[in-house]
């Protein structure tokens, strides 16, 4: 069982999978625990803030069930590593919050022949499905491409932790049904379960296979993963100390959300939220400039550097430790 992301969805899902005795659980995440996420990322506590999610999640799950194996992958999922990771596991659980990651999971799962459990939240609305059955549809049959309108993630739109929990726990139930394979189970293959957390109304939509789908209408080995040519980008980092003394001309790029930006940012930085980059929005940053990308603590900026590199940007650095490190190193510049 591989959980891609151990945030709001992955936290409750992983807890119930471990408690149920799923013998081998893989955890993929490149982020650290953040205080603002604790209301929905229930794997973690205040003592975990600033520490890698996969390592703290491993310790928590191991304390819950000492008889299971937990393997951590402290990195982002990308085209260069997705198939290799998926081959190690029987079922994939989606704990991501953006379209690009879900497309990558779908395409890699189809290519490797692995079923995967999809989950998504927007405000009080949740949806869950299972993709990967031989004759059933894939995620791209449902969403051929990202919507034209910008879809905000949890950090931007806000979300009630209990709603995220319902989706994550339901994903765990679907994964257990797939693993056990009992004839009495009816997992959500070819179905999309929707629920409204405000009214508790729910509905089931039947999904159909698109005969012209860009992925599942083709042979598995013919599928090329998104950004496959770029692969996993080697992210170069620069320390706050070196940034202060940097003599070359450079542009600072803040990839946090606007609400974080308004609470304080490095002077003269340009705001380019990570959510906008993941959504494929236009980017006005000059391609020939040296770009130093930063977030709050230095994790989201690494993901942003990967996305910018995939767009053709060459001269990129991620600020190690992010805005917090800059505040400690250069308080006179606040």
């Amino acid at each position: 069982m591989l959980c891609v992301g151990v945030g709001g969805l992955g936290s409750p899902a992983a807890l119930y999978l471990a408690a149920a005795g799923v013998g081998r659980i893989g955890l993929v995440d490149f982020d650290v625990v953040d205080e603002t996420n604790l209301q929905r990322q229930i794997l973690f506590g205040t003592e975990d803030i600033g520490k890698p999610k996969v390592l703290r999640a491993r310790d928590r799950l191991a304390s819950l069930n000492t008889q299971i194996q937990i393997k951590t992958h402290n990195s982002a999922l990308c085209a260069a590593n997705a198939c290799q990771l998926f081959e190690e596991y029987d079922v994939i659980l989606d704990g991501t919050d953006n379209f690009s990651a879900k497309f990558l999971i779908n395409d890699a799962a189809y290519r490797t022949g692995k079923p995967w459990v999809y989950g998504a939240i927007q405000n009080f609305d949740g949806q869950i499905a299972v993709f990967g059955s031989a004759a059933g549809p894939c995620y791209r049959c449902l969403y051929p491409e990202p919507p034209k309108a910008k879809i905000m993630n949890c950090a931007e739109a806000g979300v009630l932790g209990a709603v995220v929990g319902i989706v994550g726990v339901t994903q765990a139930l679907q994964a257990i049904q797939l693993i056990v394979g009992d004839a009495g189970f009816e997992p959500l293959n070819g179905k999309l379960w929707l629920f409204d957390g405000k009214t508790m109304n729910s509905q089931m939509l039947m999904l159909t296979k698109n005969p012209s789908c860009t992925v599942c209408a083709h042979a598995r080995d013919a599928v090329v993963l998104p950004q496959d040519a770029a692969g996993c980008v080697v992210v170069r980092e620069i320390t706050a100390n070196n940034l202060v003394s940097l003599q070359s001309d450079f542009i600072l790029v803040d990839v946090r959300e606007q609400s974080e930006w308004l609470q304080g940012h490095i002077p003269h930085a340009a705001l380019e939220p990570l959510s906008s980059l993941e959504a494929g929005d236009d980017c006005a940053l000059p391609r020939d400039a040296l770009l130093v990308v930063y977030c709050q603590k230095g994790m989201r900026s690494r993901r942003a550097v990967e996305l910018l590199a995939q767009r053709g940007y060459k001269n990129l650095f991620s600020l190690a430790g992010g805005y917090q490190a800059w505040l400690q190193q250069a308080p006179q510049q606040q």
Side-chain angles (χ1 to χ4, degrees):
M1 180 78 232
L2 179 66
C3 294
V4 182
V6 285
L9 295 176
S11 285
L15 283 167
Y16 275 96
L17 290 169
V22 173
R24 186 168 179 269
I25 299 174
L27 306 173
V28 181
D29 205 307
F30 65 93
D31 208 352
V32 297
V33 179
D34 190 286
E35 183 178 14
T36 62
N37 297 330
L38 294 180
Q39 54 93 11
R40 65 182 184 276
Q41 297 182 5
I42 58 172
L43 260 174
F44 312 112
T46 53
E47 68 278 6
D48 301 320
I49 293 172
K51 299 176 183 177
K53 285 182 179 178
V54 291
L55 301 184
R56 300 308 298 149
R58 176 198 61 193
D59 295 344
R60 175 70 179 89
L61 297 177
S63 69
L64 178 64
N65 189 338
T66 60
Q67 299 182 27
I68 62 174
Q69 298 179 4
I70 304 166
K71 186 173 182 179
T72 60
H73 307 277
N74 192 10
S75 64
L77 186 76
C78 67
N81 65 15
C83 288
Q84 182 179 358
L85 283 174
F86 286 15
E87 289 285 8
E88 297 182 35
Y89 301 92
D90 297 319
V91 179
I92 314 302
L93 189 141
D94 161 40
T96 67
D97 65 355
N98 62 85
F99 275 97
S100 61
K102 294 180 189 300
F103 284 142
L104 175 58
I105 292 172
N106 177 78
D107 298 0
Y110 178 75
R111 185 179 173 95
T112 56
K114 306 292 182 175
W116 69 285
V117 184
Y118 157 76
I121 316 102
Q122 183 72 22
N123 298 121
F124 286 88
D125 299 323
Q127 51 185 250
I128 303 97
V130 173
F131 298 105
S133 62
C138 77
Y139 180 69
R140 287 189 187 265
C141 295
L142 176 62
Y143 296 114
E145 58 184 30
K148 300 298 183 183
K150 185 173 185 293
I151 303 296
M152 294 186 291
N153 60 24
C154 293
E156 297 174 288
V159 67
L160 190 63
V163 174
V164 183
I166 291 172
V167 175
V169 169
T170 306
Q171 286 182 278
L173 174 59
Q174 292 299 296
I176 291 170
Q177 289 188 356
L178 291 173
I179 293 169
V180 174
D182 187 273
F185 289 150
E186 295 184 14
L188 295 170
N189 286 308
K191 304 172 186 176
L192 181 68
W193 183 60
L194 308 170
F195 83 94
D196 182 339
K198 284 186 176 179
T199 65
M200 298 310 294
N201 290 330
S202 65
Q203 59 179 316
M204 188 78 74
L205 301 182
M206 304 304 295
L207 305 178
T208 58
K209 188 179 181 70
N210 178 5
S212 300
C213 178
T214 57
V215 173
C216 69
H218 302 273
R220 295 187 189 278
D221 58 4
V223 173
V224 178
L225 301 189
Q227 307 300 336
D228 205 19
C232 286
V233 177
V234 176
V235 179
R236 296 181 296 170
E237 288 192 322
I238 185 171
T239 65
N241 181 54
N242 289 337
L243 177 64
V244 171
S245 59
L246 190 62
Q247 299 298 316
S248 304
D249 291 334
F250 63 93
I251 296 175
L252 279 165
V253 183
D254 190 324
V255 296
R256 300 173 301 162
E257 302 305 320
Q258 187 173 28
S259 59
E260 297 173 282
W261 161 276
L262 293 175
Q263 294 175 10
H265 57 270
I266 302 177
H268 311 299
L271 178 62
E272 195 71 44
L274 175 60
S275 58
S276 296
L277 294 174
E278 291 181 325
D281 294 349
D282 292 337
C283 178
L285 298 170
R287 293 184 178 272
D288 57 349
L290 169 59
L291 304 180
V292 178
V293 183
Y294 76 91
C295 59
Q296 191 68 17
K297 296 181 179 178
M299 297 304 295
R300 283 175 288 172
S301 59
R302 295 178 62 86
R303 171 62 177 156
V305 165
E306 292 176 347
L307 292 172
L308 288 168
Q310 291 168 6
R311 293 191 183 196
Y313 289 86
K314 303 295 185 184
N315 209 355
L316 298 161
F317 283 92
S318 172
L319 179 59
Y323 182 58
Q324 289 191 0
W326 181 87
L327 287 176
Q328 295 174 359
Q329 183 63 40
Q332 71 278 7
Q333 298 189 32
Q334 297 183 46

